[in-house]
Amino acid sequence: MDTPSLPHGPSMAKRTCCSDPSNAKPPSTTSPELHNDRSENDLALESFLRVSDFDSINTSFDRLIESRSSDSDKNDLIQRALHLGCVLLEAGKHSDRKRSSVHNTVVWPLPPDLTIKVFAMLDTQSVCYAAATCSLFQKCAADPLCFADIDLITLVPKVNNGVVSSMIRRAGNALQSIKLGVLPPCASPLFCSSEPLIYSIRNSSDASGVSWNDKRSRQGKESSILTRSCLSYLSENGGAPGARLRRLHLFNIERMDNAALLASLSACPSLRDLEIVGLHVELRQTLESVSKHCPLIERLVFESSKTGRDDGLKYPTCNEFVHSCPNTTTLALKGFKLQDYKVRTLVKGLRKLKHVDFSMSYSFTGAFLKNLGANGGGNCLEVMILRDCMHLKAIEVEYFMGAVLVGEFKLFRHLDISNREGLASDGDWFNRCYSASFIPIKQLLEERPNFSLVAEFPKGSYIDVEQATPSDLNSDMSLASQLSSHASDGSFLMSVSDNSSDSGNEDGQESSFVTYDSDEVDFLAT
């Protein structure tokens, strides 16, 4: 079957005579030549698409090629055929998308304003996926409300500065939140909360089995990588993009330095939630900038990228932060050198403080816990996490729990004193305590039935089981089974385990774990 002939050049149709009144036509916006060309193309394309015997096309095309005498004519014909095929393919895709978009517009049950509200509830990646489906969703996803909460956190580097600037530009004055960086998945939360207190960079691998160190080493080799200027657009147009920003979370952006972070914070006067994990920035300069530019801050989480080596925080900085940011309810400073008097200034001075986390911090012994509730300081405390604090003394924890038992800190409900090295003993730092037996457990449960105490140590230790009632104690259960079950009445669970495969027991030593659970607070062990 021969294929229909296609036009190879401009149409040579005879032009009508304008002097003949019988041939006169109304004026048209297009020339007669273009009109005739389109008509001939339409007829040729329609005739071509009516071909039903597709196998014969190969034979017809071969005959057509052989009919050309020179190689150049043959090659030209082949290239024209390839080009025509590509054009038809793209035209078919375009028409299919256009028809699908019209169909979606007709059958989609929600009006555009409600669609925008639905898209505003999705994460950033889902909004981008939705926008790529049809023109209706693309128009709705272009609304600034859909990018008010920008979440570009990934497990491997695949976001660059251009993507961040584009998202901020789309959000405009509606920008409320930015989450940015590379974050390995956290194995479990430290305590149950509607908003997690802190993320952690201490997990060595994720579910995919890819080492976190391998991911970090790849950052410099990836084209999709964030640099120190990734948030520079917040300061453009007189700081308008960052003026209404309320939440800023930054994770492991290795090229972010002090100057870049401070410039970004200076453009965010409405900031209320700041979380910094794994950035090479200093605590002192960050707190000074927050005190100066972000007086409305309510939640500050800062985990050092160089645990134990950042000791630049000064007392005047602590004092300035307390007076400039009185609305702070959550404070987490992990992996810094913090002396007791600095911690006391922060905890006692911030009268609205509810959650504190000084895990992996060095230098303080817990002396700041003495008289913490005097003059109204610390009365709002609900959660305190002092996990793996090298110099924390058992005697200071005992004094603090004594104050809790006599009625101070009435809102206090969760304490974590777990330590891989054990608690320091009074008078001899090298004599470590691997037990929570100094805490009167039975009395604590009677006074505070909803209290949650977490004390995980790497070595086996003696626990005074006489303080626990037989109905509450099940010493035969393993650590894993204890953690997977909870008492229905909110009572405590206690276990002494010889499970050497526990994650906190790297040397195969025995494990001791005590936890007291409530209906309000659940502890999920890593």
Side-chain angles (χ1 to χ4, degrees):
M1 176 179 178
D2 294 335
T3 58
S5 60
L6 297 177
H8 292 279
S11 172
M12 300 302 295
K14 183 181 289 186
R15 300 176 63 180
T16 59
C17 180
C18 297
S19 61
D20 187 358
S22 63
N23 294 329
K25 295 183 180 180
S28 174
T29 56
T30 59
S31 65
E33 293 87 345
L34 292 178
H35 178 75
N36 291 336
D37 283 345
R38 284 201 298 270
S39 299
E40 291 180 5
N41 284 339
D42 293 347
L43 293 174
L45 183 59
E46 183 179 5
S47 177
F48 182 77
L49 293 176
R50 284 179 179 176
V51 176
S52 58
D53 187 5
F54 296 104
D55 295 334
S56 64
I57 293 181
N58 290 331
T59 304
S60 299
F61 188 72
D62 288 340
R63 286 200 300 267
L64 193 60
I65 293 295
E66 294 300 328
S67 67
R68 299 296 189 269
S69 57
S70 65
D71 289 341
S72 60
D73 291 341
K74 294 179 180 180
N75 290 333
D76 180 67
L77 192 59
I78 292 174
Q79 293 301 320
R80 287 172 61 85
L82 292 174
H83 179 67
L84 178 61
C86 293
V87 171
L88 286 175
L89 178 62
E90 292 301 321
K93 290 181 178 180
H94 174 75
S95 297
D96 182 61
R97 290 193 299 266
K98 186 176 180 180
R99 285 177 54 82
S100 298
S101 178
V102 173
H103 173 76
N104 291 344
T105 304
V106 174
V107 301
W108 181 247
L110 300 179
D113 57 338
L114 291 182
T115 302
I116 292 172
K117 290 183 179 180
V118 172
F119 284 1
M121 300 171 66
L122 301 177
D123 61 89
T124 305
Q125 189 174 24
S126 297
V127 172
C128 294
Y129 285 154
T133 57
C134 66
S135 59
L136 170 65
F137 284 2
Q138 184 181 28
K139 292 178 181 178
C140 293
D143 191 277
L145 289 178
C146 297
F147 295 94
D149 298 308
I150 300 174
D151 187 350
L152 296 175
I153 293 177
T154 59
L155 297 181
V156 293
K158 58 181 180 180
V159 176
N160 56 28
N161 293 3
V163 174
V164 179
S165 298
S166 176
M167 295 295 179
I168 297 176
R169 201 174 286 113
R170 292 181 185 181
N173 293 333
L175 185 61
Q176 295 285 316
S177 170
I178 296 179
K179 296 181 180 180
L180 191 62
V182 181
L183 178 70
C186 187
S188 62
L190 295 177
F191 61 92
C192 183
S193 173
S194 59
E195 184 176 42
L197 177 66
I198 193 165
Y199 291 104
S200 175
I201 63 172
R202 304 303 168 189
N203 299 285
S204 59
S205 63
D206 61 10
S208 64
V210 180
S211 170
W212 170 231
N213 291 328
D214 292 341
K215 292 178 182 179
R216 289 168 63 91
S217 64
R218 291 172 54 190
Q219 288 194 6
K221 303 176 183 179
E222 297 282 348
S223 59
S224 299
I225 186 171
L226 297 169
T227 68
R228 64 186 305 274
S229 61
C230 60
L231 293 175
S232 60
Y233 192 76
L234 291 175
S235 303
E236 294 188 8
N237 300 324
R244 299 184 181 182
L245 187 68
R246 298 168 63 92
R247 180 184 295 111
L248 179 61
H249 292 184
L250 304 174
F251 302 97
N252 304 298
I253 305 175
E254 293 189 345
R255 298 186 181 182
M256 178 77 74
D257 56 17
N258 284 303
L261 177 62
L262 301 186
S264 301
L265 293 178
S266 65
C268 305
S270 302
L271 197 65
R272 286 169 170 80
D273 183 353
L274 176 62
E275 185 161 351
I276 301 172
V277 175
L279 271 63
H280 301 303
V281 295
E282 296 181 1
L283 175 60
R284 179 180 60 83
Q285 295 189 32
T286 302
L287 285 186
E288 289 176 352
S289 181
V290 171
S291 302
K292 181 178 180 180
H293 302 291
C294 311
L296 302 179
I297 197 75
E298 296 176 1
R299 181 177 182 268
L300 175 60
V301 176
F302 197 163
E303 182 172 344
S304 175
S305 62
K306 44 185 180 180
T307 303
R309 287 179 289 172
D310 188 343
D311 60 349
L313 184 62
K314 306 299 182 183
Y315 174 77
T317 304
C318 298
N319 197 45
E320 180 185 4
F321 178 75
V322 165
H323 288 89
S324 301
C325 305
N327 297 321
T328 305
T329 59
T330 297
L331 179 64
L333 304 177
K334 298 186 62 176
F336 297 97
K337 283 188 176 181
L338 301 172
Q339 288 76 22
D340 283 282
Y341 71 94
K342 298 176 185 177
V343 178
R344 178 188 293 273
T345 300
L346 294 171
V347 177
K348 291 197 66 171
L350 298 171
R351 297 302 179 93
K352 297 182 180 180
L353 197 60
K354 296 180 179 180
H355 306 90
V356 295
D357 186 350
F358 299 118
S359 297
M360 298 181 294
S361 296
Y362 288 70
S363 298
F364 72 75
T365 63
F368 71 92
L369 297 171
K370 293 179 180 178
N371 301 320
L372 189 60
N375 300 323
N379 284 343
C380 293
L381 273 181
E382 297 180 11
V383 175
M384 181 181 296
I385 300 177
L386 305 175
R387 196 177 185 92
D388 292 326
C389 296
M390 184 68 66
H391 298 83
L392 182 62
K393 292 184 177 181
I395 188 66
E396 302 295 352
V397 177
E398 182 178 359
Y399 289 154
F400 175 74
M401 292 307 300
V404 173
L405 287 173
V406 299
E408 296 186 35
F409 310 104
K410 297 184 181 299
L411 301 178
F412 196 63
R413 57 184 174 86
H414 183 99
L415 176 64
D416 188 347
I417 55 172
S418 302
N419 201 311
R420 288 174 294 180
E421 302 295 334
L423 300 178
S425 299
D426 189 34
D428 186 358
W429 185 85
F430 293 99
N431 184 19
R432 313 299 291 182
C433 174
Y434 297 95
S435 171
S437 60
F438 57 85
I439 299 177
I441 297 171
K442 183 177 180 181
Q443 184 180 356
L444 176 63
L445 292 175
E446 291 176 352
E447 298 291 336
R448 301 286 184 92
N450 295 325
F451 193 88
S452 174
L453 171 65
V454 181
E456 182 182 9
F457 302 104
K459 292 180 62 177
S461 61
Y462 170 75
I463 298 180
D464 189 359
V465 296
E466 293 182 357
Q467 296 182 1
T469 61
S471 61
D472 291 327
L473 179 61
N474 187 357
S475 59
D476 294 332
M477 296 180 67
S478 66
L479 174 61
S481 62
Q482 287 283 357
L483 292 177
S484 63
S485 62
H486 297 272
S488 60
D489 59 353
S491 59
F492 70 90
L493 297 175
M494 181 170 63
S495 173
V496 181
S497 174
D498 294 331
N499 186 358
S500 60
S501 63
D502 181 76
S503 60
N505 186 0
E506 299 177 355
D507 298 327
Q509 297 170 319
E510 293 181 350
S511 173
S512 172
F513 188 95
V514 183
T515 180
Y516 302 93
D517 294 337
S518 68
D519 293 332
E520 299 177 0
V521 180
D522 293 326
F523 174 77
L524 302 178
T526 57

